[in-house]
Amino acid sequence: MNILKATPALAVALLSPYAAAQSNVTLYGILDACVVSAHGTSAAGTQANSGCAYGSRFGFRGQEDLGGGLKADFTLESGISLDNGTLAQNGRLFGRKALVGLITPYGQLHMGRDYAPTFYLVRPVDPYKAGIGSATTMVSTSARPDGSGRNDNSIVYTSPRKNGYGIKASYALGEHTATSTTTRDAKGVLFSYESDKLLAGVAYNATTNATGRADDRTATIGASVKTGFFQPAFLFQVGKWEGTRSVAAPSLATSFFSRDYRSAMVGATFAFGPGRGNLIATYKRYDDKTVRNFDADQVTVGHKYQLSKRTELYAVYTRQSNKGAAAYGLMDATNAFAANGAGTAPSAFYLGITHIF
């Protein structure tokens, strides 16, 4: 008997009862690559990078119909770097998302690794979808600082939408020691409205620090128009990172989000229609309210041209102006470029391609 030939057939036979029970499993992903020319940064020059406009990824989604309006489902999503073939999110196998749960007529309940609820407002409203010139550099998505933008150990509830209105709430356990019951716990809620034409919402998040004595807190509001030639969008956030920052260091010159800040994004997509693509422009402002006053603003302008429903080309320019002693760097969907120094204006020009499968 040829074991090499028999093994695949044997595996199918052994797994077939489970495969039959699974109503569907979908493989999906985004592959994004670009050439970027950066100036005024520590990585100035020309680079070939992955995950510029969108984080490159592949994932699996599955769902099983349990009857009576009840379904089990899962999502496993891995970030990848096309330029060198490695895993993103610090080498995690499913670093972008790893969830399992139930879908019921009364809402969805999932457990695993997920974004904070604020992300589900900021990312959809941002005209660049957290890519080049991402709103998330100045408008926090409110995940734990050490989680690559996500929270481990999350318990997430998503309500059904009623007349467009819905709620998403999350509690991410810090898996703390017995000396503190809330160390590193992250709590968040999003109230949103969505229709074919409009998305709007308000979110709140609080993340307890390592000592369990203070929280990083954010309150965010945003909205965007989803149809028509002119599609405006805005975000505004009030933040108080009292858990991460101290009285001695209320803000950092090279890292956004202080003990007291305001940040905002305004932008628009100009949809020219088939064969002409979209022009996208955004302006962001970060206002550090502490005594250090590390402020910055950023302008991003670009064009995305759709070759098909799944493939697009893009050209984007972004420039950030650091005020006073601020020395914030640039970020896109995956890559970071440190600024050369205080008061500088780092910039970057991108040419890239995105394919969705």
Side-chain angles (χ1 to χ4, degrees):
M1 179 179 183
N2 190 325
I3 296 178
L4 293 177
K5 291 183 178 179
T7 300
L10 180 62
V12 171
L14 290 173
L15 293 174
S16 58
Y18 304 99
Q22 183 69 54
S23 59
N24 67 79
V25 176
T26 302
L27 170 67
Y28 67 93
I30 298 176
L31 302 178
D32 181 276
C34 77
V35 174
V36 55
S37 178
H39 301 274
T41 73
S42 60
T46 302
Q47 302 179 9
N49 284 343
S50 171
C52 306
Y54 305 90
S56 294
R57 72 200 74 167
F58 70 90
F60 303 92
R61 294 191 190 101
Q63 195 174 94
E64 180 186 5
D65 192 339
L66 302 174
L70 185 65
K71 297 178 181 179
D73 79 328
F74 73 90
T75 301
L76 297 172
E77 188 171 294
S78 179
I80 55 175
S81 299
L82 290 181
D83 51 340
N84 56 26
T86 60
L87 291 172
Q89 287 79 50
N90 297 317
R92 295 176 185 243
L93 178 57
F94 295 112
R96 291 187 60 88
K97 186 177 286 191
L99 291 170
V100 65
L102 294 174
I103 301 174
T104 80
Y106 308 101
Q108 304 177 24
L109 186 65
H110 291 92
M111 294 180 63
R113 175 173 167 83
D114 196 8
Y115 300 94
T118 301
F119 173 89
Y120 291 98
L121 174 64
V122 174
R123 197 268 183 190
V125 167
D126 181 6
Y128 279 104
K129 308 305 177 191
I132 301 165
S134 170
T136 62
T137 55
M138 297 185 186
V139 182
S140 173
T141 60
S142 304
R144 291 193 191 102
D146 60 353
S148 298
R150 289 89 173 165
N151 286 330
D152 293 338
N153 317 314
S154 293
I155 303 169
V156 185
Y157 170 75
T158 306
S159 76
R161 287 202 174 271
K162 301 291 186 181
N163 299 318
Y165 295 94
I167 299 172
K168 181 181 284 289
S170 172
Y171 198 109
L173 299 171
E175 297 197 343
H176 39 68
T177 65
T179 58
S180 173
T181 58
T182 61
T183 299
R184 300 185 70 253
D185 285 4
K187 307 161 286 287
V189 62
L190 165 65
F191 299 92
S192 64
Y193 170 82
E194 186 170 11
S195 68
D196 292 339
K197 297 181 179 180
L198 178 68
L199 170 64
V202 57
Y204 176 80
N205 196 87
T207 301
T208 307
N209 66 6
T211 65
R213 297 176 180 174
D215 293 338
D216 291 343
R217 303 188 306 278
T218 61
T220 312
I221 186 171
S224 64
V225 174
K226 299 165 60 179
T227 60
F229 166 71
F230 177 60
Q231 301 172 21
F234 86 92
L235 289 162
F236 178 75
Q237 183 173 83
V238 176
K240 293 183 179 295
W241 278 34
E242 296 174 350
T244 303
R245 310 302 184 214
S246 65
V247 174
S251 57
L252 303 178
T254 58
S255 179
F256 286 106
F257 313 127
S258 69
R259 292 197 78 190
D260 189 4
Y261 72 88
R262 309 289 184 271
S263 59
M265 185 277 308
V266 292
T269 298
F270 299 86
F272 292 104
R276 290 180 289 177
N278 297 332
L279 176 66
I280 305 173
T282 62
Y283 169 79
K284 296 183 300 179
R285 170 69 178 170
Y286 178 78
D287 184 9
D288 177 15
K289 293 292 187 179
T290 73
V291 294
R292 297 193 173 188
N293 198 31
F294 293 148
D295 296 345
D297 53 31
Q298 184 175 6
V299 174
T300 306
V301 179
H303 185 266
K304 294 187 176 183
Y305 181 81
Q306 292 75 37
L307 296 175
S308 69
K309 290 184 178 180
R310 297 190 299 161
T311 304
E312 71 178 16
L313 304 176
Y314 57 85
V316 183
Y317 174 79
T318 187
R319 184 179 187 273
Q320 183 170 285
S321 297
N322 291 313
K323 309 301 181 181
Y328 304 121
L330 292 174
M331 287 191 65
D332 54 41
T334 305
N335 311 285
F337 303 89
N340 272 343
T344 57
S347 64
F349 178 69
Y350 294 79
L351 291 173
I353 181 171
T354 302
H355 178 72
I356 300 171
F357 65 90

